[in-house]
Amino acid sequence: MYDNNNIFAKILRNEIPCNKVYEDEHSLFFKDIKPQAKIHILGIPKSPCVDFADFINKTDKKAISSFFESLEKVIEMLNIKETGYRIISNSGENGGQEVPHFHFHILAGEKIGSLR
Ligand code: AMP
């Protein structure tokens, strides 16, 4: 069940500011407030979905492909294709998800350590 009061929903409604990197019809990308790497960007679709599975199951195909194309566009904009990056999405309790609106983390700008 999607919580309309989660922090990313508030950012999408402009109730809370964010440090925006890129926005289009279907997605918003902004800087993580507690960066875990020199470059740490969050990418969220504008549709209300809790996690990856919810996004894929509930969102129309055009918006899904648009979100992934935007993710690639942001990676291009950040100029990190050559040096490398990590994209991850946490889901649920075991995945360590804190904010229940589906998002990707883009981590880059330095060597990203092991997953644990
Ligand atoms: P996750 O643990 O995958 O749900 O990640 C949630 C991320 O959201 C964390 O890296 C937080 O630092 C980040 N975060 C929480 N609140 C904000 C905010 N207001 N603006 C930007 N990033 C945020």
Side-chain angles (χ1 to χ4, degrees):
M1 179 80 160
Y2 185 77
D3 169 15
N4 266 315
N5 283 319
N6 78 75
I7 201 133
F8 294 170
K10 290 180 180 175
I11 286 175
L12 284 171
R13 291 195 298 267
N14 289 315
E15 292 168 11
I16 288 177
C18 73
N19 204 330
K20 194 191 295 182
V21 172
Y22 175 82
E23 181 173 18
D24 61 25
E25 188 189 345
H26 297 292
S27 59
L28 174 68
F29 291 78
F30 52 96
K31 292 187 181 172
D32 195 292
I33 208 165
K34 261 173 66 183
Q36 307 288 318
K38 281 186 185 154
I39 296 173
H40 188 170
I41 306 296
L42 298 171
I44 64 176
K46 291 188 172 175
S47 52
C49 43
V50 177
D51 60 11
F52 176 69
D54 201 29
F55 175 60
I56 296 298
N57 290 322
K58 277 207 216 134
T59 312
D60 74 77
K61 297 276 180 284
K62 193 168 153 249
I64 292 173
S65 88
S66 167
F67 175 72
F68 282 102
E69 278 161 19
S70 303
L71 177 61
E72 197 278 333
K73 198 180 284 182
V74 170
I75 286 164
E76 173 83 45
M77 277 170 53
L78 295 168
N79 208 19
I80 54 174
K81 274 191 185 176
E82 295 299 319
T83 46
Y85 53 87
R86 180 174 297 158
I87 47 178
I88 53 169
S89 182
N90 301 319
S91 178
E93 202 181 329
N94 284 354
Q97 183 177 12
E98 286 169 20
V99 180
H101 181 111
F102 170 58
H103 52 280
F104 266 121
H105 297 254
I106 307 172
L107 297 155
E110 62 186 310
K111 258 206 164 69
I112 309 302
S114 68
L115 284 173
R116 285 173 178 269

